[in-house]
Amino acid sequence: RVGEALEGRRCVLDLGCGLGLLRERLGSRSGEYLGIDASGEFVVNCRERFAEDRRSLFVEHDINDLSIVDPGFDAVCLLN
């Protein structure tokens, strides 16, 4: 359902992106994507999995400090 709700969004922020499952589900249905996770291992995994996707960026960072994030997102997700 989340993938459908985000369809057509130009810019999605995924807090706690984990292994990038949301990005995988979105596929080409959304524009730019920023995934943030505290786990460096997850971020490295995502960077490798989505290396060809120039619209996606994965960053290791604490989601409690969003000072690094540009506020121009169409959607912000925090999924369990």
Side-chain angles (χ1 to χ4, degrees):
R1 291 184 181 183
V2 174
E4 292 172 8
L6 297 176
E7 189 169 334
R9 302 293 180 164
R10 289 177 325 175
C11 212
V12 174
L13 172 60
D14 186 5
L15 300 172
C17 65
L19 295 173
L21 299 179
L22 177 59
R23 184 62 188 149
E24 185 175 79
R25 291 238 191 259
L26 290 175
S28 63
R29 296 185 295 176
S30 72
E32 295 179 20
Y33 170 95
L34 172 59
I36 298 178
D37 203 282
S39 169
E41 187 176 330
F42 283 168
V43 169
V44 167
N45 181 287
C46 287
R47 287 177 180 165
E48 290 172 358
R49 287 180 59 218
F50 299 97
E52 302 297 319
D53 184 353
R54 301 289 180 224
R55 299 169 302 146
S56 296
L57 175 65
F58 296 92
V59 176
E60 179 183 355
H61 193 72
D62 181 353
I63 66 170
N64 293 301
D65 171 20
L66 295 180
S67 62
I68 67 163
V69 176
D70 181 341
F73 287 90
D74 295 320
V76 177
C77 299
L78 178 60
L79 304 173
N80 182 4

